[in-house]
């Protein structure tokens, strides 16, 4: 596999390309659908898998496109199914989540270590740093909350295994399609 420079990696695929635009739109829709069907188990515990759509987008199209998909999906999802009032911090978190997945997965081989690292970085940055900051700004809640930490520790292996399975399956499907189209 050819090594690409940081500048090319940050740009990723061109959003003006019809294939990229179509794929990004479909992944935005999938992200919104998965966000709407997040199970709220309690006030602090949610079970959702919308992150997988952003990770797939990051792997296929790069950090910038995945970030845009995350932000667009967050905004559109709010208007489809509002949950409280709109707060732009969560839109920024969705952008950063997609951007980080793209940064760590774009044009890289799918491996368990890489997927686990990507999930860990996103959980730390978005779930354990940014979300408590936004909640503190909105409601004055504590910046460090044991239930949030416990939830992320429990979800880390589940999210990692799920994402590895999805990305590995997608990679093999794309490889099979590429061989068929020759």
């Amino acid at each position: 596999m050819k090594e690409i420079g940081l500048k090319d990696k940050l740009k990723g695929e061109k959003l003006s390309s019809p294939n990229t635009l179509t794929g990004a739109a479909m992944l935005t829709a999938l992200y919104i659908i998965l966000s709407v069907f997040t199970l709220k188990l309690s006030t602090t515990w949610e079970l959702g898998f919308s992150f997988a759509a952003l990770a797939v987008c990051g792997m296929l199209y790069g950090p910038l496109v995945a970030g845009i998909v995350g932000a667009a999906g967050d905004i559109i999802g709010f208007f489809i199914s509002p949950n409280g009032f709109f707060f732009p911090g969560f839109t920024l978190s969705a952008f950063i989540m997609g951007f980080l997945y793209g940064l760590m997965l774009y044009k890289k081989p799918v491996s368990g270590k890489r997927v686990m690292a990507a999930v860990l970085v996103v959980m730390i940055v978005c779930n354990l740093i940014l979300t408590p900051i936004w909640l503190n700004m909105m409601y004055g809640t504590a910046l460090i909350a044991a239930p949030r930490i416990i939830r992320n520790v429990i979800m880390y292996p589940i999210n990692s295994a799920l994402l590895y399975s999805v990305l590995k399956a997608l990679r093999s499907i794309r490889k099979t399609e590429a061989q068929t189209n020759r």
Side-chain angles (χ1 to χ4, degrees), residues 84-104:
F85 62 92
F86 180 77
F87 184 74
F90 292 113
T91 303
L92 178 62
S93 290
F95 177 88
I96 291 171
M97 184 184 300
F99 190 85
L100 288 173
Y101 278 127
L103 202 59
M104 299 184 78

Side-chain angles (χ1 to χ4, degrees), residues 34-42 45-49:
L34 290 173
S35 294
V36 168
F37 289 107
T38 297
L39 298 173
K40 298 208 186 283
L41 304 174
S42 73
W45 284 75
E46 293 180 349
L47 184 61
F49 300 105

Side-chain angles (χ1 to χ4, degrees), residues 41-47 123 127-129 131-132 135 141-156:
L41 304 174
S42 73
T43 56
T44 56
W45 284 75
E46 293 180 349
L47 184 61
M123 279 189 163
N127 299 355
L128 297 176
I129 295 174
T131 296
L135 292 173
T141 59
L143 289 174
I144 298 175
R148 180 173 310 284
I149 294 169
I150 293 167
R151 178 183 152 274
N152 280 281
V153 167
I154 292 170
M155 292 305 294
Y156 174 69

